[in-house]
Amino acid sequence: MNTKNKLKVGILGATGMVGQRLISLLKDHPWFTVVCVAASDRSAGKTYAEAVLGRWTQKEPIPKNVRMLKVFSIEKDMNIIALKSDFLFSAIDAVKDFIRKIEETYASLGLPLVSNNSAHRWTEDVPMIMP
C-alpha cells in the first residue's frame, strides 16, 4: 500500500506516554500514517516536538513526519481533527466520564475509533478486542 492509499490517523492524547508509544508503533506502518495529533489545551498550538520537549519517553526519536505536526485541542478542535483523519486512536489520560464524552462525540462524527482506555469496557454497543 503506498502512502496515498494509507488511512490517515489521528491520535488523541498524543503527548502522553501511551500516545507517544502509538506514534512510535505507527512509524512506517504499511496501513496507517499519522496526520493529526491532539492533546490537552496546554499542548494545543505547539508543534508536537515542542509539546513533548523533555518528556519524550521512547527509545527512538520522534518520527520525522510527526515532529512538526501542530497539536490540536482534543475538545476545541474536534471538527478539524475529524476532517483530517480517517481513523482515530485514543490514548486519553483523564477521568472516565470525560473520556466517554470525548470518544462518543468523535464516534458521532463518523470516525472509527480504537481506544486504549477502559471507559467503555461495559458499554453495550462498543466491542472489546482481546489481543
Side-chain angles (χ1 to χ4, degrees):
M1 185 179 277
N2 64 34
T3 304
K4 69 180 181 178
N5 292 331
K6 289 184 178 185
L7 288 172
K8 295 177 283 185
V9 172
I11 298 180
L12 308 178
T15 59
M17 190 177 300
V18 175
Q20 292 178 27
R21 184 66 182 142
L22 285 170
I23 286 170
S24 288
L25 290 170
L26 293 170
K27 179 183 180 252
D28 300 323
H29 196 282
W31 303 334
F32 305 115
T33 185
V34 177
V35 298
C36 187
V37 290
S40 68
D41 289 344
R42 184 177 58 246
S43 297
K46 298 177 182 177
T47 66
Y48 186 76
E50 291 170 332
V52 298
L53 184 64
R55 299 185 312 113
W56 181 252
T57 62
Q58 304 304 298
K59 291 179 183 176
E60 314 85 23
I62 302 168
K64 289 180 183 178
N65 68 313
V66 176
R67 289 185 62 73
M68 299 310 293
L69 289 178
K70 176 184 174 183
V71 178
F72 290 100
S73 166
I74 287 174
E75 290 183 273
K76 296 176 183 169
D77 296 323
M78 287 183 168
N79 290 327
I80 296 169
I81 294 165
L83 286 172
K84 289 181 165 287
S85 307
D86 297 321
F87 190 95
L88 295 175
F89 285 103
S90 177
I92 301 170
D93 182 18
V95 296
K96 289 184 182 193
D97 287 339
F98 176 81
I99 294 168
R100 274 191 291 273
K101 178 185 134 207
I102 294 296
E103 290 180 353
E104 288 171 4
T105 302
Y106 278 106
S108 75
L109 294 173
L111 286 166
L113 186 141
V114 173
S115 180
N116 184 63
N117 297 297
S118 64
H120 283 287
R121 186 165 287 156
W122 302 110
T123 304
E124 191 170 312
D125 63 342
V126 176
M128 182 184 290
I129 298 171
M130 302 300 280

